[in-house]
Amino acid sequence: MPTIGNAQLKLLEKLCNASAVSGDEGEVRKIVLDELKGHAGDAKVDALGNVLVTRLGSGKKRLKVMITAHMDEVGFMLVADDGEGLFRFETIGGLDVRQLPGKAVLIGKDHLPGVIGARPIHLTTVEERKQNIPLDTLRIDIGPGGGKVKPGDRATFATRFQRNGPVLIAKAFDDRLGVVSLLELIRNAPTNIDLLAAFTVQEEIGLRGAKVAAFTLDPDLALVMDATPANDLPDWDGEENNSFNTKLGLGPAIYIADSYTFSDARLVRHFSETAQTEGIPFQFRQPGGGGTDAGAIHKARAGVPSISVSVPHRYSHTAVSIARLDDWKNTLALVHAALLRLPPDILASRPA
Ligand SMILES: [Zn+2]
């Protein structure tokens, strides 16, 4: 049985603290390849940097199930050296520029410390403090003489992983939670299916790795494991928030639709019925912004019926997010149970 215990939490910590901004996923890829040693001799790295692993089952009629988790995270790329330790930068992936000033970052392979500079309150006027600060006036500052970084280097938020009982706090839960879950599934691969695992690159900048991974793996169906924003805070006016898209503590979020994909209805039914039968809590992620690697996979080749199941977390794509251990455990339990129970003929006919 795949489990989330101390070893998996340690691995999550290592992965969340690693830096893998889109297009520069090497640090996380190395951890993934190390973890796969002895569990899958056939791990391959493709031309874009995806890690592909095949675990063939042993049953008679086996569906080829592609399961993905993306290795990359949102962050920054230095683009020009202004001197005095100051660097112009671009955001990589969806980030809200309003949230950047004053944040500590780590730059490049050596994780050199820096800060996204913010002018202190002493030096600003009341009027200035009402304005948004445009990205092109922000700089990543490593301080004069602060070491060797260069344009092209990536930077991540400097947040370190913390656990407080059932609560997990870190950057990059999106999608390091999925990466650990996928490693666990490979180690405990259901034998009734052919498991085609893809640890993908460049999800946050347009699902680029998943597109080529789906071409290579040529699956019958696909399951994407990701982390999804929970918009579950009380409304600012003090009213109860009835419009949350997902909520912490309610379990895995099964997607019906997001910005890029309609989940295959047969898979949605199978996953939700599995949760009910097995007594695993779950929630339907409400449609709205965002998407997953399923957006590229379902349009690959001649089409691939797809579904996403995510762990809800607050403050996605910011310097620090909050997730709950039980939501993660229940997500992995649901995915594993749904794969074990997957009817080989689930795609044989289409609901009328
Ligand atoms: Zn994600």
Side-chain angles (χ1 to χ4, degrees):
M1 278 290 285
T3 42
I4 306 291
N6 282 339
Q8 291 72 27
L9 277 162
K10 272 233 124 37
L11 178 59
L12 179 69
E13 173 170 3
K14 192 167 156 191
L15 283 164
C16 286
N17 289 349
S19 168
V21 178
S22 308
D24 190 20
E25 294 90 354
E27 193 174 335
V28 161
R29 181 166 46 243
K30 185 175 182 314
I31 297 170
V32 166
L33 289 171
D34 284 349
E35 289 293 321
L36 287 169
K37 270 182 199 149
H39 289 283
D42 59 344
K44 289 190 191 70
V45 179
D46 74 10
L48 290 195
N50 296 305
V51 177
L52 307 179
V53 181
T54 300
R55 299 300 304 267
L56 298 180
S58 55
K60 268 205 185 109
K61 275 179 70 184
R62 306 192 305 267
L63 286 167
K64 293 186 291 174
V65 183
M66 177 176 180
I67 308 181
T68 77
H70 66 88
M71 295 189 289
D72 63 314
E73 67 190 284
V74 297
F76 314 99
M77 183 171 72
L78 306 189
V79 294
D81 183 349
D82 283 354
E84 301 291 322
L86 297 166
F87 289 82
R88 267 177 271 171
F89 67 96
E90 296 286 340
T91 51
I92 304 287
L95 281 159
D96 184 343
V97 174
R98 294 175 308 162
Q99 298 167 338
L100 303 184
K103 297 294 192 300
V105 295
L106 297 172
I107 307 151
K109 310 255 181 262
D110 297 328
H111 291 199
L112 281 180
V115 60
I116 301 175
R119 217 187 302 171
I121 191 165
H122 323 62
L123 305 180
T124 54
T125 63
V126 173
E127 270 317 302
E128 279 175 320
R129 290 199 290 275
K130 289 180 188 158
Q131 309 300 319
N132 282 333
I133 307 172
L135 179 63
D136 59 11
T137 68
L138 288 172
R139 295 291 181 273
I140 286 180
D141 187 354
I142 63 165
K148 275 210 157 93
V149 300
K150 58 187 183 310
D153 283 353
R154 305 298 202 275
T156 54
F157 293 114
T159 315
R160 303 290 85 184
F161 179 94
Q162 297 180 81
R163 178 181 170 201
N164 175 21
V167 176
L168 309 175
I169 298 186
K171 72 164 179 70
F173 283 140
D174 175 8
D175 181 23
R176 305 293 154 68
L177 288 166
V179 168
V180 180
S181 295
L182 184 51
L183 284 166
E184 274 301 295
L185 281 176
I186 292 169
R187 291 187 177 118
N188 300 276
T191 54
N192 58 312
I193 59 165
D194 286 346
L195 195 168
L196 315 175
F199 298 88
T200 60
V201 296
Q202 301 187 35
E203 191 267 358
E204 296 290 2
I205 44 172
L207 323 179
R208 297 174 190 178
K211 181 178 176 178
V212 301
F215 180 88
T216 303
L217 295 174
D218 191 13
D220 296 318
L221 62 97
L223 161 67
V224 174
M225 291 194 296
D226 210 325
T228 191
N231 171 29
D232 62 346
L233 302 179
D235 278 349
W236 303 119
D237 58 7
E239 297 294 311
E240 194 183 345
N241 178 358
N242 292 316
S243 60
F244 56 82
N245 54 349
T246 66
K247 190 171 166 68
L248 295 195
L250 294 189
I254 298 175
Y255 288 51
I256 306 165
D258 63 25
S259 296
Y260 305 111
T261 316
F262 290 118
S263 293
D264 185 272
R266 293 161 292 192
L267 296 175
V268 172
R269 193 166 73 186
H270 175 68
F271 274 74
S272 53
E273 283 179 359
T274 297
Q276 279 156 353
T277 308
E278 303 272 339
I280 301 168
F282 75 101
Q283 53 191 320
F284 287 118
R285 178 196 186 275
Q286 297 306 296
T292 71
D293 271 340
I297 297 166
H298 83 285
K299 294 192 288 188
R301 288 185 172 262
V304 180
S306 300
I307 187 169
S308 301
V309 179
S310 284
V311 182
H313 68 304
R314 286 181 182 159
Y315 319 119
S316 186
H317 290 207
T318 72
V320 56
S321 305
I322 295 182
R324 279 187 58 97
L325 186 53
D326 54 356
D327 286 329
W328 183 28
K329 286 181 175 176
N330 284 323
T331 300
L332 182 56
L334 170 58
V335 164
H336 187 246
L339 292 171
L340 280 178
R341 299 163 49 95
L342 193 68
D345 61 351
I346 187 168
L347 302 175
S349 62
R350 202 157 263 295

